[in-house]
Amino acid sequence: MKQAGAHILRGGAFKPRTSPYSFQGLGEEGLQILAAAREETGLPVVTEALDPEGVDLIERYADCIQIGARNMQNFSLLKRAGRAKKPVLLKRGLAATLEEFLMSAEYILSEGNYEVVLCERGVRTFSDFSRNTLDLAVVPAVKSVSHLPILVDPSHGTGRRDKVSPLSRAAVAVGADGLIVEVHHDPNSALSDGPQSITPEMFEGLVRDLRQIAPVIGRRL
Ligand code: PEP
Ligand code: MN
Protein backbone atom coordinates (compact mmCIF):
# COMPACT_ATOMS: atom_id res chain seq x y z
CA MET A 1 0.00 0.00 0.00
CA LYS A 2 2.91 2.34 0.70
CA GLN A 3 4.29 1.69 -2.76
CA ALA A 4 0.86 2.39 -4.19
CA GLY A 5 0.74 5.76 -2.41
CA ALA A 6 -0.61 5.29 1.13
CA HIS A 7 0.84 7.63 3.78
CA ILE A 8 -0.60 6.14 6.96
CA LEU A 9 -1.67 2.66 8.07
CA ARG A 10 -5.01 2.50 9.88
CA GLY A 11 -6.05 -0.70 11.57
CA GLY A 12 -8.24 -1.50 14.54
CA ALA A 13 -6.93 -3.53 17.48
CA PHE A 14 -9.91 -2.72 19.68
CA LYS A 15 -13.06 -2.84 17.53
CA PRO A 16 -16.41 -1.26 18.39
CA ARG A 17 -18.69 -3.94 16.92
CA THR A 18 -22.48 -3.73 16.82
CA SER A 19 -22.77 -7.30 18.08
CA PRO A 20 -20.82 -8.52 21.13
CA TYR A 21 -20.46 -11.86 19.33
CA SER A 22 -18.61 -10.37 16.34
CA PHE A 23 -14.79 -10.33 16.20
CA GLN A 24 -13.69 -7.71 18.73
CA GLY A 25 -10.12 -7.21 17.50
CA LEU A 26 -6.88 -8.69 18.78
CA GLY A 27 -6.36 -6.13 21.55
CA GLU A 28 -2.77 -5.47 22.57
CA GLU A 29 -1.53 -8.23 20.26
CA GLY A 30 -3.08 -6.24 17.41
CA LEU A 31 -1.20 -3.15 18.52
CA GLN A 32 2.03 -5.14 18.43
CA ILE A 33 1.26 -6.26 14.87
CA LEU A 34 0.60 -2.64 13.88
CA ALA A 35 3.89 -1.58 15.49
CA ALA A 36 5.71 -4.31 13.57
CA ALA A 37 4.08 -3.15 10.33
CA ARG A 38 5.24 0.40 11.05
CA GLU A 39 8.74 -0.90 11.72
CA GLU A 40 8.81 -2.74 8.41
CA THR A 41 7.19 -0.08 6.22
CA GLY A 42 7.93 3.23 7.92
CA LEU A 43 4.21 4.05 7.72
CA PRO A 44 2.82 5.84 10.80
CA VAL A 45 -0.06 4.03 12.47
CA VAL A 46 -3.51 5.22 13.52
CA THR A 47 -5.73 3.01 15.66
CA GLU A 48 -8.87 3.40 17.74
CA ALA A 49 -9.16 3.92 21.49
CA LEU A 50 -12.54 2.75 22.80
CA ASP A 51 -12.41 4.38 26.22
CA PRO A 52 -10.34 6.87 28.26
CA GLU A 53 -8.35 4.05 29.96
CA GLY A 54 -7.56 2.59 26.52
CA VAL A 55 -5.82 5.80 25.47
CA ASP A 56 -2.82 4.98 27.70
CA LEU A 57 -2.10 1.83 25.71
CA ILE A 58 -2.87 3.34 22.28
CA GLU A 59 -0.59 6.29 23.05
CA ARG A 60 2.31 3.94 23.65
CA TYR A 61 1.94 2.08 20.34
CA ALA A 62 0.31 4.39 17.77
CA ASP A 63 1.20 7.66 16.07
CA CYS A 64 -2.39 8.90 16.00
CA ILE A 65 -5.41 8.08 18.18
CA GLN A 66 -8.72 7.38 16.43
CA ILE A 67 -12.01 8.18 18.12
CA GLY A 68 -14.73 6.26 16.31
CA ALA A 69 -18.17 7.38 15.21
CA ARG A 70 -19.88 5.64 18.14
CA ASN A 71 -17.70 7.56 20.57
CA MET A 72 -17.91 11.03 19.02
CA GLN A 73 -19.79 12.29 22.07
CA ASN A 74 -17.98 10.23 24.69
CA PHE A 75 -16.86 13.36 26.46
CA SER A 76 -14.51 11.72 28.96
CA LEU A 77 -12.75 10.00 26.05
CA LEU A 78 -12.55 13.29 24.13
CA LYS A 79 -11.04 15.05 27.15
CA ARG A 80 -8.52 12.26 27.71
CA ALA A 81 -7.51 12.43 24.04
CA GLY A 82 -7.16 16.19 24.49
CA ARG A 83 -4.48 15.54 27.10
CA ALA A 84 -2.62 13.07 24.87
CA LYS A 85 0.60 14.02 23.14
CA LYS A 86 -0.48 12.45 19.85
CA PRO A 87 -2.76 13.71 17.05
CA VAL A 88 -6.39 12.63 17.18
CA LEU A 89 -8.53 11.42 14.28
CA LEU A 90 -12.13 12.21 15.17
CA LYS A 91 -14.83 10.43 13.17
CA ARG A 92 -18.27 11.97 12.74
CA GLY A 93 -21.04 10.39 14.80
CA LEU A 94 -23.70 8.22 13.17
CA ALA A 95 -26.21 11.08 13.16
CA ALA A 96 -24.15 14.07 14.23
CA THR A 97 -24.83 17.57 13.00
CA LEU A 98 -21.93 19.76 11.86
CA GLU A 99 -22.22 21.74 15.09
CA GLU A 100 -22.06 18.60 17.25
CA PHE A 101 -19.09 17.30 15.22
CA LEU A 102 -17.15 20.53 15.66
CA MET A 103 -18.03 20.82 19.35
CA SER A 104 -16.64 17.33 19.92
CA ALA A 105 -13.42 18.45 18.24
CA GLU A 106 -13.51 21.47 20.55
CA TYR A 107 -13.46 19.15 23.60
CA ILE A 108 -10.08 17.86 22.41
CA LEU A 109 -8.72 21.29 21.49
CA SER A 110 -9.86 22.83 24.77
CA GLU A 111 -7.68 20.37 26.72
CA GLY A 112 -4.62 21.61 24.82
CA ASN A 113 -4.30 19.12 21.97
CA TYR A 114 -4.54 21.14 18.75
CA GLU A 115 -3.69 18.26 16.42
CA VAL A 116 -7.19 17.18 15.48
CA VAL A 117 -8.17 15.69 12.13
CA LEU A 118 -11.86 15.30 11.31
CA CYS A 119 -13.28 12.40 9.32
CA GLU A 120 -16.61 12.17 7.49
CA ARG A 121 -17.69 8.52 7.43
CA GLY A 122 -21.34 8.69 6.45
CA VAL A 123 -24.47 9.34 8.46
CA ARG A 124 -27.65 7.34 8.82
CA THR A 125 -30.49 8.22 6.46
CA PHE A 126 -33.42 6.38 4.88
CA SER A 127 -31.33 5.44 1.83
CA ASP A 128 -31.22 1.66 1.71
CA PHE A 129 -28.70 1.09 -1.07
CA SER A 130 -25.62 1.82 1.03
CA ARG A 131 -24.56 1.21 4.63
CA ASN A 132 -24.50 4.93 5.40
CA THR A 133 -24.99 8.08 3.35
CA LEU A 134 -21.64 9.72 2.73
CA ASP A 135 -22.21 13.42 3.36
CA LEU A 136 -19.63 14.95 1.05
CA ALA A 137 -21.29 18.34 1.37
CA VAL A 138 -19.93 18.52 4.91
CA VAL A 139 -16.40 18.92 3.51
CA PRO A 140 -16.87 22.46 2.12
CA ALA A 141 -19.11 23.20 5.12
CA VAL A 142 -16.25 22.35 7.50
CA LYS A 143 -13.80 24.31 5.35
CA SER A 144 -15.92 27.44 5.60
CA VAL A 145 -16.00 27.50 9.41
CA SER A 146 -12.96 25.57 10.66
CA HIS A 147 -9.21 25.38 10.09
CA LEU A 148 -9.18 21.64 10.90
CA PRO A 149 -8.31 19.18 8.14
CA ILE A 150 -11.03 16.73 7.14
CA LEU A 151 -10.62 13.24 5.72
CA VAL A 152 -13.31 11.13 4.07
CA ASP A 153 -13.89 7.41 4.76
CA PRO A 154 -15.80 6.06 1.75
CA SER A 155 -15.51 2.49 3.07
CA HIS A 156 -17.75 2.97 6.12
CA GLY A 157 -19.55 5.71 4.20
CA THR A 158 -20.88 3.30 1.60
CA GLY A 159 -20.29 -0.19 2.99
CA ARG A 160 -19.98 -1.54 -0.57
CA ARG A 161 -16.73 -2.34 -2.32
CA ASP A 162 -17.92 -1.16 -5.74
CA LYS A 163 -18.81 2.29 -4.39
CA VAL A 164 -15.53 2.99 -2.62
CA SER A 165 -13.53 4.21 -5.62
CA PRO A 166 -16.27 6.42 -7.13
CA LEU A 167 -16.92 8.14 -3.78
CA SER A 168 -13.17 8.46 -3.14
CA ARG A 169 -12.82 10.31 -6.44
CA ALA A 170 -15.71 12.57 -5.47
CA ALA A 171 -14.22 13.20 -2.02
CA VAL A 172 -10.97 14.42 -3.52
CA ALA A 173 -12.86 16.56 -6.04
CA VAL A 174 -14.91 18.19 -3.25
CA GLY A 175 -11.75 19.18 -1.38
CA ALA A 176 -11.12 16.49 1.24
CA ASP A 177 -7.64 16.60 2.76
CA GLY A 178 -7.28 12.82 2.65
CA LEU A 179 -9.01 9.47 2.46
CA ILE A 180 -9.26 6.43 4.72
CA VAL A 181 -9.83 3.35 2.60
CA GLU A 182 -10.14 -0.21 3.88
CA VAL A 183 -8.01 -2.60 1.84
CA HIS A 184 -7.75 -6.38 2.22
CA HIS A 185 -5.83 -8.90 0.10
CA ASP A 186 -8.73 -11.35 0.46
CA PRO A 187 -11.79 -9.27 1.43
CA ASN A 188 -14.15 -12.22 1.52
CA SER A 189 -12.10 -13.72 4.36
CA ALA A 190 -11.80 -10.48 6.34
CA LEU A 191 -12.84 -10.76 10.02
CA SER A 192 -14.29 -7.26 9.89
CA ASP A 193 -15.91 -5.20 7.14
CA GLY A 194 -14.96 -7.44 4.20
CA PRO A 195 -17.86 -6.27 1.98
CA GLN A 196 -16.51 -2.71 2.03
CA SER A 197 -12.84 -3.59 1.68
CA ILE A 198 -11.22 -3.12 -1.72
CA THR A 199 -8.34 -5.20 -3.04
CA PRO A 200 -4.76 -3.89 -3.34
CA GLU A 201 -5.21 -3.83 -7.13
CA MET A 202 -8.33 -1.68 -6.80
CA PHE A 203 -6.41 0.64 -4.46
CA GLU A 204 -3.63 1.07 -7.02
CA GLY A 205 -6.16 1.92 -9.71
CA LEU A 206 -7.88 4.39 -7.38
CA VAL A 207 -4.62 6.21 -6.59
CA ARG A 208 -3.88 6.46 -10.33
CA ASP A 209 -7.24 8.19 -10.84
CA LEU A 210 -6.75 10.47 -7.82
CA ARG A 211 -3.39 11.64 -9.14
CA GLN A 212 -5.28 13.03 -12.13
CA ILE A 213 -8.22 14.49 -10.21
CA ALA A 214 -6.29 16.28 -7.43
CA PRO A 215 -4.40 18.76 -9.68
CA VAL A 216 -7.71 19.91 -11.20
CA ILE A 217 -8.54 21.57 -7.86
CA GLY A 218 -4.98 22.62 -7.14
CA ARG A 219 -4.08 19.73 -4.82
CA ARG A 220 -1.62 16.89 -5.08
CA LEU A 221 -1.31 13.48 -3.47
C1 PEP B 1 -13.36 2.05 11.86
O1 PEP B 1 -12.82 3.06 11.35
O2 PEP B 1 -12.85 0.95 11.88
C2 PEP B 1 -14.72 2.22 12.40
C3 PEP B 1 -15.21 1.35 13.28
O3 PEP B 1 -15.35 3.27 11.87
P1 PEP B 1 -16.59 4.11 12.42
O4 PEP B 1 -16.22 4.51 13.82
O5 PEP B 1 -16.61 5.26 11.46
O6 PEP B 1 -17.79 3.24 12.32
MN1 MN C 1 -14.02 -1.05 9.66
Side-chain angles (χ1 to χ4, degrees):
M1 292 305 93
K2 185 185 182 183
Q3 271 166 18
H7 293 139
I8 305 179
L9 173 64
R10 192 212 60 114
F14 296 91
K15 303 288 300 166
R17 304 307 300 278
T18 300
S19 164
Y21 308 115
S22 299
F23 174 64
Q24 302 286 308
L26 294 173
E28 188 164 5
E29 188 194 339
L31 295 177
Q32 287 162 356
I33 294 172
L34 287 168
R38 175 184 47 207
E39 196 64 32
E40 212 170 291
T41 63
L43 288 172
V45 162
V46 52
T47 193
E48 178 161 356
L50 291 182
D51 41 49
E53 306 73 50
V55 175
D56 297 350
L57 195 59
I58 303 294
E59 254 190 318
R60 284 212 292 280
Y61 283 97
D63 302 286
C64 176
I65 304 159
Q66 174 173 326
I67 296 183
R70 287 153 194 83
N71 267 322
M72 191 204 79
Q73 286 189 315
N74 180 338
F75 299 117
S76 51
L77 176 58
L78 295 171
K79 286 186 191 168
R80 173 62 186 85
R83 292 191 294 273
K85 300 280 179 286
K86 299 266 170 88
V88 178
L89 175 65
L90 177 66
K91 300 190 81 173
R92 184 181 182 182
L94 308 177
T97 64
L98 174 59
E99 168 86 7
E100 288 164 345
F101 192 14
L102 293 176
M103 282 302 131
S104 288
E106 210 63 40
Y107 266 90
I108 303 167
L109 300 171
S110 68
E111 293 290 328
N113 188 346
Y114 302 120
E115 302 209 279
V116 177
V117 179
L118 303 172
C119 179
E120 160 62 26
R121 47 78 73 203
V123 289
R124 181 149 309 168
T125 69
F126 49 78
S127 284
D128 59 359
F129 59 88
S130 62
R131 180 177 177 185
N132 293 294
T133 297
L134 193 62
D135 182 14
L136 290 180
V138 85
V139 174
V142 164
K143 295 272 166 213
S144 69
V145 293
S146 173
H147 68 288
L148 297 175
I150 179 162
L151 312 184
V152 168
D153 171 355
S155 306
H156 291 87
T158 66
R160 308 280 172 96
R161 186 173 312 140
D162 61 336
K163 295 188 174 64
V164 170
S165 293
L167 271 296
S168 298
R169 297 192 294 259
V172 168
V174 85
D177 298 296
L179 294 169
I180 303 182
V181 180
E182 289 192 311
V183 182
H184 197 289
H185 62 282
D186 180 15
N188 294 331
S189 307
L191 292 175
S192 172
D193 287 344
Q196 68 193 31
S197 296
I198 62 173
T199 62
E201 294 71 34
M202 291 169 83
F203 183 76
E204 284 171 20
L206 171 59
V207 174
R208 266 199 302 277
D209 290 347
L210 298 180
R211 288 197 200 285
Q212 298 198 42
I213 293 170
V216 175
I217 58 155
R219 306 291 296 265
R220 64 185 170 78
L221 258 56

